[in-house]
């Protein structure tokens, strides 16, 4: 029996490029002159920050106040222009797009802000607020906007009847759900969340974080998640980027960074927290560094019990 033709190997599929690529992003701000003849001081907010984010993954950005986290979020959202560097989403440099092209591209990336009270217009109904991205992008008729807004509310656990209410009729956690619904309505590939749960009670934080996880599993979007809370990042994110004075000092899998930090600043961030940061999500174990022998000897000396009879006469 003659042998058949040799089997041909299936063609290898090319690896999918990252959804978001940030390269050497820098931004500085000029402050007011201290007096008319003095040069304006310049404060660097970001200096050469680079990272990638794969589709369907979550990257947490942590750092102390003033480290450049919110500046990074505004630059990724193309709300400000960088002094240098690139932000590429699906291969397109957002800061090189013309205004019309950038407006159309915003359907792919949306933002959830920190303050659920300040991010919603009190004069607009829920329908007007949630459907606003569709109206701006002119992507749907009024009837389609109504149906997609109702679906977005259902996705975040709210009712269709809520469409005709106003923001003051909702609790803080419900308002943040409305903000998430507004970001979700265009079915974006990327959501940038700037401290989205820091203004909420602990129990509500857990509900919102679990909602974000469920939505990611359902729709496959990526999160760029800005937070100061390592327990929140550990719960939600796959990787973490540590910013210090506008520079990325460490990046890697979140469990690796939390339990085996390599940079001194990351270790200081962990040491600044209590050894167990308790939240409604549980407890984040932060490993202690071994004590120096002299410190241990001093602690042992302090722990020696005193003689109940007192010192000898």
């Amino acid at each position: 029996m003659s042998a058949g033709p040799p089997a041909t190997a299936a063609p290898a599929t090319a690896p999918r490029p990252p959804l978001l690529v940030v390269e050497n992003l820098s931004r500085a701000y000029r402050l007011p002159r201290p007096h008319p003849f003095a040069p304006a001081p310049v404060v660097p907010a970001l200096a050469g920050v680079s990272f990638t984010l794969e589709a369907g993954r979550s990257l947490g950005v942590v750092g102390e106040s003033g480290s450049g986290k919110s500046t990074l979020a505004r630059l990724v959202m193309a709300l400000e222009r960088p002094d240098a560097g690139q932000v590429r989403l699906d291969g397109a440099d957002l800061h090189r797009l013309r205004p019309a092209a950038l407006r159309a591209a915003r359907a792919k990336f949306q933002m959830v802000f920190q303050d659920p009270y300040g991010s919603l217009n009190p004069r607009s109904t829920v329908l007007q607020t949630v459907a606003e991205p569709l109206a701006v992008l002119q992507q749907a008729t009024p009837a389609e906007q109504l149906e997609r807004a109702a679906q977005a509310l259902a996705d975040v656990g709210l009712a269709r009847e809520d469409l005709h209410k106003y923001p003051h009729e909702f609790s803080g956690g419900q308002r943040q759900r409305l903000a998430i619904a507004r970001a979700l309505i265009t079915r974006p590939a990327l959501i940038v969340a700037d401290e989205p749960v820091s203004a909420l009670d602990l129990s509500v934080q857990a509900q919102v974080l679990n909602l974000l996880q469920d939505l990611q599993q359902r729709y496959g979007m990526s999160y760029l998640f800005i937070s100061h809370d390592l327990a929140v990042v550990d719960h939600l994110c796959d990787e973490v980027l540590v910013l210090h004075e506008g520079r990325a000092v460490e990046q890697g899998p979140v469990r690796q960074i939390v339990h085996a930090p390599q940079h001194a600043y990351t270790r200081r961030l962990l040491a600044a927290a209590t050894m167990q940061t308790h939240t409604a999500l549980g407890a984040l174990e932060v490993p202690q560094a071994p004590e120096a022998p002299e410190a241990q000897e001093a602690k042992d000396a302090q722990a020696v019990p005193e003689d109940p009879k007192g010192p000898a006469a």
Side-chain angles (χ1 to χ4, degrees), residues 66-78:
S67 61
K69 304 187 302 295
S70 292
T71 298
L72 176 61
R74 290 194 297 271
L75 293 177
V76 169
M77 287 298 302

Side-chain angles (χ1 to χ4, degrees), residues 42-67:
V42 177
V43 177
L46 283 180
V49 173
S50 299
F51 63 86
T52 61
L53 177 58
E54 305 290 337
R57 305 277 288 177
S58 298
L59 173 66
V61 180
V62 298
E64 61 192 344
S65 224
S67 61

Side-chain angles (χ1 to χ4, degrees), residues 174-199:
Q174 289 174 325
R175 293 185 194 189
Q176 198 61 295
R177 288 174 183 263
L178 293 176
I180 294 170
R182 177 175 58 186
L184 191 66
I185 197 168
T186 63
R187 292 292 183 264
L190 171 68
I191 289 181
V192 178
D194 188 3
E195 298 272 11
V197 297
S198 62

Side-chain angles (χ1 to χ4, degrees), residues 118-161:
S119 64
L120 304 176
N121 187 341
R123 296 177 180 271
S124 298
T125 65
V126 169
L127 172 59
Q128 292 170 321
T129 296
V130 172
E132 182 180 14
L134 297 179
V136 171
L137 295 170
Q138 299 180 348
Q139 287 190 340
T141 65
E144 292 170 339
Q145 291 178 25
L146 175 63
E147 291 307 314
R148 289 176 65 174
Q151 179 59 51
L153 287 195
D155 286 336
V156 299
L158 297 175
R160 186 186 184 96
E161 292 74 21

Side-chain angles (χ1 to χ4, degrees), residues 299-306:
K299 185 179 290 187
D300 293 342
Q302 293 175 357
V304 175
E306 296 182 359

Side-chain angles (χ1 to χ4, degrees), residues 71-93:
T71 298
L72 176 61
R74 290 194 297 271
L75 293 177
V76 169
M77 287 298 302
L79 299 176
E80 294 184 14
R81 294 189 65 86
D83 298 327
Q86 293 183 337
V87 177
R88 297 199 303 273
L89 182 70
D90 268 345
D93 186 345

